[in-house]
Amino acid sequence: MGNINIKDLSPVELEEFVSNLGEKPYRARQIGKWIFKKGINSFDDMTDLSKSFREVLKDSALIPSIKLIQEQISRDGTRKYLFELSDNNRIESVLIPESGRFTLCVSSQVGCALGCTFCLTGRVGRIRNLKSSEILDQFLLVNGRASRPVTNIVFMGMGEPLDNLDNTVRALKTLTHPDFIGFSPKKITVSTSGLVPKIKELGERISVNLSVSLNAPRDEVRDEIMPINRKYPIKELVEESKRFPFPNRKVLTFEYVLLSGVNDSDEDARELGELLKGVNCKVNLIPFNEASPLPYKPPSDTRVLQFQGILIGYGHNVRIRKNRGRDILGACGQLAAAYPVGQNLKNSRKNVDIEPLRHKGTNGEYENPGAK
Ligand code: SAH
Ligand code: SF4
């Protein structure tokens, strides 16, 4: 019995794999269709493959899946999913319904090594990278049970996707390949805290949207709240981000978490306005999502609007991100998958609605969401 998880292979790697088993490369696309478009997880059911090839596949590969163990529903309709991995580690994904969109936020690592001071995942620390299959399974399991197809995927869950670049790219290749999942690259966004050389490498390997978590207009502040800035300072980060090859008609997004008294003054807004002058980009302001024991407060609504107004005065396209799923710790920066992050965590977990699981399973055909 082989132990390769077939979902860990990118479409090209799967072609090589079937070639090594003595079959034509196009067999990879047939297998891809069964697994990713039809939700089949047994080689026996792949009826357009010869019986003997199915036996060979069964001896050399497996199609396991991560396990959904909890679904929580926020008062605003956002859903948070807790998954258990084969080594008992846990990760979370978040599904956010918006008018016309159904956005899935996936995790790329268990925990995160980068230690941003405002982020609960950073408090967990780095536990391990996710495999490509574990990234894809989040999509497959949520999309398979959602009331309508997922329309957008953002890599903004637990972890830093560019700190797990190979598996992130593998998952992206499978997500976007027309014969595999076929999701439009324009509807996928990778969010990074700014691993500058990896931004370049991502752009060389695949075309998707990029969102950069800037969070401060100058190094002095960014060094404090995002330690990665000491290695890759703001100027280098903005320059590299500007060069990123976007899908047609798509532009760079900068995320800016507003922390009261830290990076939310009029002067901060003006510096940010200056910094981004001439950069073709959008800015998303995210008022800080509280989660014990993180030591910050969100600014008042008026402060947020004032900050936005100043940036608009510089001609920038600025939105304020609605904080969805805060009551179930499902908003940006609140994902910890029940790992210990400090003594007070339990207190912030009140008012949580837990829906009994409704396992639809992954069998049965479902729509290919990104194809149109
Ligand atoms: N590691 C990647 C992606 C995951 S974090 C990154 O840092 O970009 C996704 C987003 O959540 C980032 O923009 C991050 O700045 C933001 N974020 C983290 N903690 C937050 C918090 N407590 N409140 C609001 N946004 C937060
Ligand atoms: Fe990691 Fe992103 Fe959280 Fe920073 S904000 S600790 S990079 S997940």
Side-chain angles (χ1 to χ4, degrees):
M1 197 66 176
N3 53 11
I4 282 189
N5 179 346
I6 210 130
K7 288 182 275 185
D8 280 325
L9 303 175
S10 70
V12 169
E13 289 169 337
L14 186 55
E15 281 190 1
E16 283 162 15
F17 181 75
V18 298
S19 299
N20 288 338
L21 296 176
E23 288 283 333
K24 292 269 172 4
Y26 75 86
R27 296 282 179 209
R29 296 199 293 277
Q30 288 178 302
I31 297 171
K33 270 190 185 149
W34 283 113
I35 295 176
F36 296 109
K37 293 211 161 146
K38 304 191 186 210
I40 293 297
N41 52 18
S42 145
F43 292 116
D44 285 327
D45 294 338
M46 302 185 181
T47 47
D48 55 0
L49 305 179
S50 70
K51 216 158 180 226
S52 59
F53 182 41
R54 281 183 259 163
E55 290 305 317
V56 173
L57 281 171
K58 274 159 67 181
D59 283 341
S60 41
L62 297 166
I63 322 174
S65 174
I66 64 174
K67 256 202 320 230
L68 177 59
I69 54 173
Q70 190 185 63
E71 176 176 7
Q72 290 173 282
I73 308 177
S74 160
R75 283 185 222 101
D76 67 23
T78 300
R79 287 166 190 250
K80 183 167 84 165
Y81 300 89
L82 178 66
F83 295 101
E84 189 171 77
L85 313 179
S86 59
D87 61 359
N88 298 325
N89 272 308
R90 295 181 303 273
I91 51 165
E92 291 175 327
S93 316
V94 182
L95 183 62
I96 308 148
E98 295 161 300
S99 55
R101 281 191 188 185
F102 216 23
T103 302
L104 176 65
C105 175
V106 295
S107 293
S108 56
Q109 297 180 307
V110 187
C112 180
L114 299 186
C116 303
T117 56
F118 48 82
C119 173
L120 212 56
T121 312
R123 288 287 175 128
V124 173
R126 184 211 187 104
I127 296 181
R128 72 164 170 87
N129 282 337
L130 291 189
K131 297 187 274 177
S132 168
S133 58
E134 292 165 332
I135 298 174
L136 294 169
D137 280 346
Q138 297 171 61
F139 168 79
L140 295 173
L141 289 174
V142 174
N143 195 50
R145 60 189 271 123
S147 56
R148 55 192 164 101
V150 169
T151 61
N152 296 67
I153 301 174
V154 296
F155 283 66
M156 293 185 185
M158 295 172 75
E160 166 53 52
L162 301 193
D163 193 25
N164 181 18
L165 186 64
D166 286 343
N167 291 341
T168 295
V169 169
R170 272 198 186 93
L172 289 170
K173 296 268 184 198
T174 298
L175 280 168
T176 55
H177 192 295
D179 294 320
F180 285 63
I181 295 177
F183 212 90
S184 165
K186 290 185 177 186
K187 306 280 186 185
I188 302 179
T189 301
V190 172
S191 177
T192 181
S193 58
L195 302 180
V196 170
K198 303 282 182 179
I199 291 178
K200 181 161 190 276
E201 200 182 329
L202 177 72
E204 286 162 357
R205 293 173 70 174
I206 197 151
S207 170
V208 289
N209 297 303
L210 181 72
S211 179
V212 173
S213 303
L214 192 54
N215 300 341
R218 57 185 175 280
D219 288 326
E220 187 198 341
V221 178
R222 199 166 190 270
D223 281 352
E224 283 304 311
I225 61 175
M226 301 184 76
I228 189 67
N229 194 67
R230 297 173 205 160
K231 198 159 178 195
Y232 305 115
I234 292 178
K235 194 160 181 292
E236 276 178 41
L237 173 59
V238 173
E239 283 309 308
E240 191 61 62
S241 306
K242 278 182 355 194
R243 288 193 282 269
F244 193 80
F246 282 85
N248 260 347
R249 297 195 299 278
K250 292 288 177 180
V251 299
L252 179 59
T253 305
F254 286 107
E255 310 280 329
Y256 194 102
V257 180
L258 286 162
L259 309 168
S260 178
V262 176
N263 63 359
D264 68 336
S265 69
D266 289 355
E267 180 54 26
D268 294 324
R270 285 193 289 269
E271 275 189 56
L272 184 62
E274 286 290 337
L275 175 72
L276 301 182
K277 249 187 188 169
V279 183
N280 186 18
C281 67
K282 294 186 289 192
V283 180
N284 274 345
L285 299 177
I286 318 174
F288 173 65
N289 293 310
E290 291 180 273
S292 179
L294 302 177
Y296 300 103
K297 291 270 169 246
S300 66
D301 291 350
T302 17
R303 182 92 293 272
V304 175
L305 289 172
Q306 172 88 8
F307 195 95
Q308 181 191 34
I310 293 173
L311 287 174
I312 290 174
Y314 278 82
H316 296 305
N317 175 354
V318 193
R319 290 193 187 170
I320 300 168
R321 168 100 56 87
K322 279 194 226 124
N323 292 300
R324 308 291 305 269
R326 266 185 179 176
D327 56 332
I328 53 168
L329 288 181
C332 286
Q334 294 186 317
L335 302 183
Y339 284 96
V341 290
Q343 357 45 346
N344 295 325
L345 183 65
K346 279 208 182 80
N347 298 338
S348 57
R349 297 190 141 245
K350 285 178 204 149
N351 304 323
V352 158
D353 270 330
I354 300 174
E355 201 195 44
L357 287 186
R358 290 173 290 111
H359 278 292
K360 280 190 202 157
T362 48
N363 282 347
E365 195 129 1
Y366 49 79
E367 286 273 311
N368 169 16
K372 283 151 253 148

